[in-house]
Amino acid sequence: MSEINHLNSKSGKSTALFLALGLFLAALAIAYYVHNSQDEVLKQILKGQAERTETKLVKNTQHLLSDLDSLSKRWDSNGSDGNGQRLLDAQDFLKRTEGVQQVLRIDNEFQMVWSEPNLPSMTNQIDNILNDNDIVLKLIKARDNDRPEISKTFDVSNQKTVFIFRSFNRDTSFLGFIAIKVDVEMFLNNILGDPANVDFYTKAYANDEVVFANGPDLTSYSNLEFFELNLDEDADGWLFKVYPTDSSLNLIISPLPYFIAFAGSVIAFLFFLTLRSKQKATKESYKLASEISEREKVQFELEYLANHDTLTHLPNRHYITNYIETRVKQSKSTKQKFTILFIDLDHFKDINDTLGHAVGDEMLKKLPILFNRVFRHDDIIARMGGDEFIVYLPGEMSIGHVEKLVERFLKSLEYPIEIGEHLIRLTGSVGVAFYPDHGSDVNELLSHADAALYRAKDKGRNTFAVYDSEIEQKAKDRVNLIARLHSAYENDEFEMYYQPRYQLSSSQIIGAEALMRWNTPEGKVELPNKFINLLEETSLIIPVTLKMLRRCCVQYSKLVEKQPDLFMSFNISAKQLEHPDFLLSLQNILDETGFSANRLEIELTEQTLIQNVENSRFILDKLKEMGIAIAIDDFGTGYSSLSYLKNFQVDILKIDKSFIQDIDSDKDDLELVKTMIAMGKNLNIITVAEGVENETQLNLLNDESCEQVQGYYFKKAMRFYDFYQLV
Ligand code: C2E
Ligand code: CA
Ligand code: CA
């Protein structure tokens, strides 16, 4: 996946680069073309200018020369005496032609004989020039060929100067020369005009020497045109170079190609960037999209986990409470009604405890199938935790209707469920609450359905109860009672009574069981069945028990002083046994009160022991180490009875009073009691019969050699002072 992405992005990148490069090259080609055409145009223009310049130069020079010709002819005819006339002619000539600075007459001896204007400073210079061999040769040529000759260039007073010679001779004899001195610069400037106006510069060379230039240095110019010009037939020609002025060049050569190249590059670059960023954006958005879908997946999983029970995959407490809350809100406008069932499996804990949690879990996993057989698809079934479930039933339902539905559900539960080698039959209890009759919000509805569930359990399980005013009252009472128990603890309203236990053979008191009473502020003495369960549920049982045990140890020490064999039996609930500080607290109490551990017996029910077998075994071992005796309370009522006894170090079995009560009338119970006593003997465990109320029972027990007895037949539980007296 990521590999492909990587390749895609790579090829995408090179496509962008390729396209951009193409665009860039195209721009360069166009720029090159425009540049070339501009150059072509410039060449044409320069060629034209060169031709025009050449024509002008030729025309003007010829004009000058023919002017000089006609002057020489006139001087011929004037003869040698016409000096006055010659002066006028010369002055006229000088005026006519710009650049011509002097008119001279040279005699046939090649000596200057006359000059106009006649400036003495110049005379020497000209004399020097006339002595120059080249000039003499020129003069001879001019005489022989009878036509004008142009001298080489001289620097005269820092001015490039040429002389033009023309012989004037009468048909018969040679008389001399007319020479004109020409300032090259002035002459050419006059012909060529101001470069600023004509848009071209001109530079002239004679024998590689620059003789004229009206523009800047040529080296910076690549655009130039040149032509050669021979002013007389045999002279080495002058070379003229013509090149454009900056302003004219700018007119012809626009920066267009550069602009095109630049713009092209910019466009190509921008194109590349755009393409790249688009590809990047696509990539990013793909990445983002996959990230989002990944996130959505995680979100979905989180949401699923938050709203579902991982074991049964049913909606969980969180989900159902939210759901009901939403329904309640909606019903404010829709007036929708619905029903809540609060379901609790009876004795599910026992399955967990005896068959193991794995079996319990398997059991729970199968429950949705059971539920779905009874409830419709738009009913919502949620697991509240443990073995508690909520069913939301939409729409209005009559009590009769709910009754039928719940009965069907309870029936379906009874169907045996196969888990491994076990066949398990479940029963359940159901509490029913209607919306809006039994609550205006989710908490109220659920707690009322829960209260109804309590009621159903009270009725004997495997049944249901609809929330009503009686339940409401009970629920309120419960809350009320909890509050009163808290203050009872704080105000020391609990008291321990003692019920004596006897050795059957000797009818001697051998000890007593401590039983809790509650002296209410109203002056009533309440029995444990009124409050022990609530103390356990609220965990108040822990501090209350420790307080009571400490007190008992102090009181009982006085008795033990009198009768050192007397023991005290104390009931400990499962909550207390599970508490991590239990052993430590117990040891502290013994240490602080000085009560001997081997005078103490602890009563634990079968239920308590099997709730956490490992923990129970550990604690029992410790208690044994401390020297405390262990009694199994309510023996025979437990789920699994005898078999586990071998697992624990037990000293005493207290046969539950429900068996004792019926041994005089129920043969089965008698048989059971016989078996329990026999087994106790086998295992070397003392058996105690609880709840002995009459002589018949006592005699039967005596027959079976039960060792100890406790019951109303002897004594009820009494206050410490009374017990003290009794002993
Ligand atoms: P239990 O441990 O089985 O205690 C024996 C109960 O049987 C006592 O009831 C006692 O008064 C009653 N009893 C004794 N002889 C007879 C008889 O001949 N006939 C009848 N019908 N009943 C008899 P009590 O004191 O009401 O206590 C009830 C239960 O409350 C106890 O049953 C025990 O499970 C619990 N309990 C009492 N005190 C404590 C306590 O301090 N801690 C804990 N965890 N539980 C306590
Ligand atoms: Ca007991
Ligand atoms: Ca008991």
Side-chain angles (χ1 to χ4, degrees):
M1 185 79 155
S2 72
E3 184 72 14
I4 293 167
N5 269 345
H6 182 63
L7 287 174
N8 273 347
S9 90
K10 233 176 144 180
S11 79
K13 200 169 163 185
S14 63
T15 328
L17 203 68
F18 186 71
L19 286 172
L21 202 71
L23 211 61
F24 173 70
L25 289 177
L28 277 194
I30 294 169
Y32 182 71
Y33 174 75
V34 172
H35 174 81
N36 272 358
S37 359
Q38 281 189 346
D39 247 23
E40 202 51 48
V41 170
L42 180 65
K43 262 189 197 133
Q44 292 300 323
I45 289 172
L46 279 176
K47 212 169 160 207
Q49 179 62 20
E51 277 163 14
R52 271 194 302 281
T53 308
E54 189 177 6
T55 316
K56 249 200 244 174
L57 281 172
V58 171
K59 215 176 106 190
N60 276 278
T61 321
Q62 275 169 358
H63 188 76
L64 177 68
L65 295 180
S66 66
D67 204 6
L68 190 60
D69 255 3
S70 46
L71 186 67
S72 88
K73 287 211 173 93
R74 245 208 341 272
W75 283 12
D76 274 355
S77 55
N78 284 349
S80 54
D81 311 313
N83 268 348
Q85 186 56 44
R86 280 185 200 120
L87 183 67
L88 288 174
D89 284 345
Q91 282 170 348
D92 205 28
F93 194 91
L94 287 171
K95 250 183 251 163
R96 250 195 327 270
T97 315
E98 188 81 20
V100 178
Q101 291 182 316
Q102 223 169 1
V103 179
L104 314 167
R105 192 163 74 82
I106 297 165
D107 64 13
N108 48 12
E109 297 294 314
F110 301 161
Q111 294 296 314
M112 193 189 81
V113 291
W114 176 80
S115 156
E116 174 54 32
N118 187 14
L119 299 170
S121 63
M122 285 184 176
T123 314
N124 268 351
Q125 287 173 3
I126 294 166
D127 279 344
N128 286 341
I129 288 163
L130 288 177
N131 286 332
D132 188 305
N133 264 347
D134 283 350
I135 294 301
V136 175
L137 284 174
K138 283 274 177 194
L139 288 170
I140 292 168
K141 240 178 173 179
R143 184 196 62 193
D144 293 350
N145 295 336
D146 192 21
R147 47 158 223 225
E149 285 292 334
I150 297 172
S151 77
K152 64 177 183 180
T153 323
F154 294 96
D155 282 320
V156 181
S157 319
N158 286 329
Q159 288 176 346
K160 295 287 176 199
T161 308
V162 292
F163 292 88
I164 304 175
F165 306 107
R166 180 74 174 96
S167 66
F168 69 100
N169 49 331
R170 257 181 278 181
D171 296 334
T172 47
S173 65
F174 167 62
L175 291 174
F177 304 91
I178 302 175
I180 53 175
K181 183 185 149 202
V182 180
D183 180 334
V184 173
E185 189 173 341
M186 273 171 81
F187 181 74
L188 290 179
N189 268 341
N190 185 44
I191 295 167
L192 298 173
D194 186 352
N197 296 330
V198 300
D199 293 329
F200 295 93
Y201 298 120
T202 312
K203 198 164 192 174
Y205 302 80
N207 299 325
D208 294 336
E209 186 195 359
V210 178
V211 292
F212 175 80
N214 61 5
D217 207 350
L218 257 183
T219 49
S220 62
Y221 282 82
S222 55
N223 304 305
L224 50 82
E225 185 67 27
F226 56 89
F227 58 94
E228 267 184 86
L229 194 65
N230 284 336
L231 291 179
D232 57 4
E233 272 156 24
D234 55 283
D236 301 326
W238 286 25
L239 185 71
F240 285 86
K241 290 189 175 175
V242 175
Y243 53 102
T245 61
D246 283 343
S247 56
S248 68
L249 189 67
N250 284 347
L251 280 178
I252 304 155
I253 305 286
S254 70
L256 188 63
Y258 299 102
F259 177 74
I260 291 172
F262 175 72
S265 317
V266 170
I267 289 169
F269 182 63
L270 289 180
F271 178 75
F272 174 70
L273 282 189
T274 316
L275 219 61
R276 277 293 295 139
S277 68
K278 201 187 145 203
Q279 280 162 353
K280 222 167 137 188
T282 323
K283 211 177 103 194
E284 286 293 307
S285 73
Y286 175 81
K287 222 171 98 191
L288 204 66
S290 67
E291 256 171 32
I292 286 171
S293 71
E294 191 63 27
R295 218 178 295 158
E296 274 171 354
K297 215 174 102 196
V298 171
Q299 185 83 13
F300 178 79
E301 277 165 8
L302 284 180
E303 242 159 56
Y304 186 85
L305 283 180
N307 287 312
H308 289 81
D309 165 49
T310 45
L311 186 67
T312 59
H313 294 285
L314 290 172
N316 61 13
R317 174 193 292 270
H318 175 77
Y319 179 86
I320 193 72
T321 48
N322 277 347
Y323 186 84
I324 295 172
E325 202 171 276
T326 316
R327 293 302 110 166
V328 167
K329 271 188 201 141
Q330 281 177 350
S331 73
K332 296 258 152 49
S333 56
T334 60
K335 303 280 173 240
Q336 277 271 330
K337 298 185 171 190
F338 59 83
T339 305
I340 298 293
L341 306 184
F342 207 128
I343 299 169
D344 186 288
L345 302 179
D346 302 331
H347 306 298
F348 183 75
K349 212 172 180 333
D350 298 339
I351 296 174
N352 261 341
D353 293 341
T354 53
L355 303 177
H357 282 268
V359 173
D361 283 356
E362 281 311 305
M363 179 83 232
L364 287 173
K365 276 195 214 164
K366 297 217 165 161
L367 280 178
I369 304 166
L370 277 180
F371 279 115
N372 286 330
R373 277 193 205 143
V374 179
F375 298 107
R376 291 181 315 214
H377 71 278
D378 54 346
D379 301 336
I380 293 173
I381 303 145
R383 183 175 174 214
M384 292 297 269
D387 56 350
E388 288 181 347
F389 298 86
I390 290 284
V391 181
Y392 165 92
L393 307 165
E396 188 170 3
M397 280 176 118
S398 67
I399 290 195
H401 190 174
V402 174
E403 206 174 291
K404 272 193 194 127
L405 186 71
V406 172
E407 270 166 6
R408 207 144 53 87
F409 168 67
L410 292 176
K411 262 243 131 36
S412 82
L413 274 187
E414 284 174 21
Y415 208 82
I417 300 171
E418 201 181 327
I419 291 171
E421 68 223 45
H422 309 282
L423 257 190
I424 300 166
R425 241 178 258 269
L426 283 173
T427 59
S429 303
V430 182
V432 184
F434 293 116
Y435 177 81
D437 304 353
H438 298 150
S440 55
D441 63 39
V442 59
N443 289 334
E444 208 176 354
L445 277 169
L446 290 181
S447 84
H448 287 172
D450 192 25
L453 173 68
Y454 262 85
R455 183 68 215 283
K457 284 187 170 173
D458 260 9
K459 282 201 282 183
R461 298 171 193 255
N462 198 18
T463 183
F464 77 99
V466 180
Y467 185 76
D468 60 18
S469 55
E470 193 189 328
I471 294 173
E472 186 173 6
Q473 193 50 53
K474 279 201 169 167
K476 278 183 186 157
D477 289 351
R478 205 175 105 90
V479 174
N480 202 10
L481 185 57
I482 290 171
R484 287 175 67 215
L485 287 174
H486 276 278
S487 67
Y489 167 62
E490 269 145 33
N491 300 332
D492 253 339
E493 291 165 13
F494 296 109
E495 185 185 349
M496 294 314 268
Y497 277 41
Y498 297 88
Q499 186 180 33
R501 200 159 100 197
Y502 298 84
Q503 188 72 38
L504 186 54
S505 54
S506 63
S507 298
Q508 285 282 312
I509 294 177
I510 48 165
E513 177 178 4
L515 295 163
M516 204 183 293
R517 298 292 180 264
W518 174 23
N519 304 312
T520 67
E522 294 80 28
K524 262 181 90 180
V525 180
E526 297 285 9
L527 292 172
N529 63 2
K530 181 88 190 278
F531 59 88
I532 278 288
N533 281 346
L534 266 190
L535 282 183
E536 281 179 8
E537 271 177 45
T538 57
S539 293
L540 252 183
I541 190 78
I542 296 169
V544 170
T545 304
L546 292 177
K547 202 176 193 178
M548 292 297 115
L549 178 63
R550 183 184 299 270
R551 192 167 298 164
C552 287
C553 287
V554 174
Q555 290 176 336
Y556 219 87
S557 296
K558 291 185 191 130
L559 276 174
V560 177
E561 275 169 29
K562 272 194 350 190
Q563 251 194 62
D565 289 344
L566 227 50
F567 68 86
M568 177 177 73
S569 198
F570 209 89
N571 294 286
I572 293 294
S573 72
K575 262 260 165 67
Q576 189 109 40
L577 201 71
E578 278 168 8
H579 196 274
D581 284 348
F582 171 63
L583 286 171
L584 193 69
S585 312
L586 186 60
Q587 187 63 59
N588 279 345
I589 288 170
L590 293 178
D591 291 347
E592 282 163 30
T593 59
F595 191 77
S596 162
N598 51 33
R599 294 297 91 213
L600 182 63
E601 182 185 297
I602 280 182
E603 294 190 12
L604 301 164
T605 64
E606 280 177 285
Q607 295 296 332
T608 299
L609 284 178
I610 61 169
Q611 255 170 48
N612 186 340
V613 174
E614 283 310 307
N615 185 53
S616 300
R617 204 199 311 276
F618 173 79
I619 294 208
L620 259 54
D621 286 349
K622 290 285 169 198
L623 292 175
K624 268 261 101 99
E625 275 174 31
M626 287 163 76
I628 296 169
I630 312 288
I632 303 285
D633 205 357
D634 302 346
F635 187 71
T637 59
Y639 184 80
S640 55
S641 56
L642 311 173
S643 58
Y644 66 89
L645 269 181
K646 292 176 206 131
N647 285 324
F648 299 108
Q649 298 206 15
V650 174
D651 304 284
I652 295 128
L653 277 187
K654 296 188 82 175
I655 301 169
D656 192 69
K657 58 179 173 283
S658 59
F659 300 102
I660 307 301
Q661 259 152 17
D662 291 339
I663 46 169
D664 44 353
S665 55
D666 189 327
K667 270 204 159 27
D668 290 345
D669 277 356
L670 181 60
E671 279 312 306
L672 268 171
V673 172
K674 278 183 181 173
T675 316
M676 287 187 232
I677 294 169
M679 194 192 62
K681 286 215 161 68
N682 259 346
L683 293 169
N684 218 7
I685 299 174
I686 297 169
T687 45
V688 181
E690 272 195 312
V692 180
E693 290 184 353
N694 55 50
E695 216 169 337
T696 325
Q697 292 163 351
L698 186 67
N699 289 335
L700 285 169
L701 292 165
N702 210 356
D703 292 346
E704 299 309 323
S705 323
C706 179
E707 286 160 282
Q708 299 178 2
V709 283
Q710 181 182 342
Y712 291 171
Y713 179 73
F714 302 95
K715 286 281 183 243
K716 284 193 170 183
M718 60 192 79
R719 309 188 72 168
F720 175 73
Y721 181 73
D722 297 329
F723 182 59
Y724 186 86
Q725 298 287 315
L726 184 71
V727 172

